[in-house]
Amino acid sequence: KDFSDGLAFVELDERSNLWGCIDTEGILRFTLNAKFLWEYSEGFAAIEVEWDSVIYVDRNGENIFQRSFVEGNEFKNGFAEVKLNRNGNYVLINKRGEVAFDTTLDFYTGFSEGYALVEHKNTPAIIDTNGIITYIDTSFHGFGGEYRYSFFSIGLMPVKIKNKFGF
């Protein structure tokens, strides 16, 4: 894995899923067993320790929330997208591991400049860092596909109208 936040994961034993975390000087900081690891982001790394069990560790390898999630992604602008149970939708947690908003999401891109593209109740929308959702009128422009990975830039959101892109 690449270095992120000054740390990187290295596979020590493929059979036992043993990984180590090293710093930029190559010093082993800790080891853990994991099926999948996300790079460090905002001081935390999401670690899939087993099927349907994702934890978040700090720079010392400690499970910071003392719980696991069915699914989880990296922190972006103070929030991480997680799934609390197999049949549930996604929610956003803050850096204390608390559900940030009383809203479930079908899809989430990660915050950029205070906004994120989401799908809420199967409808495209924008959410801000206060949890306020604004629905997007898709009757005149597209949402999805290449949009799903787009971010706000200088306060503008990319749109597609009649097969042309703009802001």
Side-chain angles (χ1 to χ4, degrees), residues 10 12 29 32 35-36 43 58-59 75 92 97 103 147 161:
V10 292
L12 301 175
R29 302 278 301 259
L32 52 78
K35 296 199 176 288
F36 189 82
D58 63 13
R59 298 176 63 80
F75 273 90
L92 299 178
T103 301
Y147 277 152
I161 301 172

Side-chain angles (χ1 to χ4, degrees), residues 85-144:
N85 58 61
R86 277 190 187 156
N87 298 322
N89 286 354
Y90 293 95
V91 296
L92 299 178
I93 59 169
N94 60 27
K95 289 186 175 183
R96 293 182 302 278
E98 304 163 334
V99 174
F101 311 120
D102 202 18
T103 301
T104 60
L105 303 172
D106 304 313
F107 175 78
Y108 161 75
T109 60
F111 282 98
S112 174
E113 297 188 10
Y115 298 95
L117 299 176
V118 298
E119 283 184 15
H120 180 251
K121 298 180 182 178
N122 294 317
T123 304
I126 299 168
I127 189 170
D128 68 16
T129 54
N130 295 312
I132 296 171
I133 293 177
T134 303
Y135 292 97
I136 299 172
D137 179 2
T138 58
S139 63
F140 68 93
H141 65 269
F143 180 86

Side-chain angles (χ1 to χ4, degrees), residues 10-19 33:
V10 292
E11 189 172 35
L12 301 175
D13 183 7
E14 184 178 353
R15 289 187 190 147
S16 66
N17 292 323
L18 181 64
W19 290 80
N33 290 86

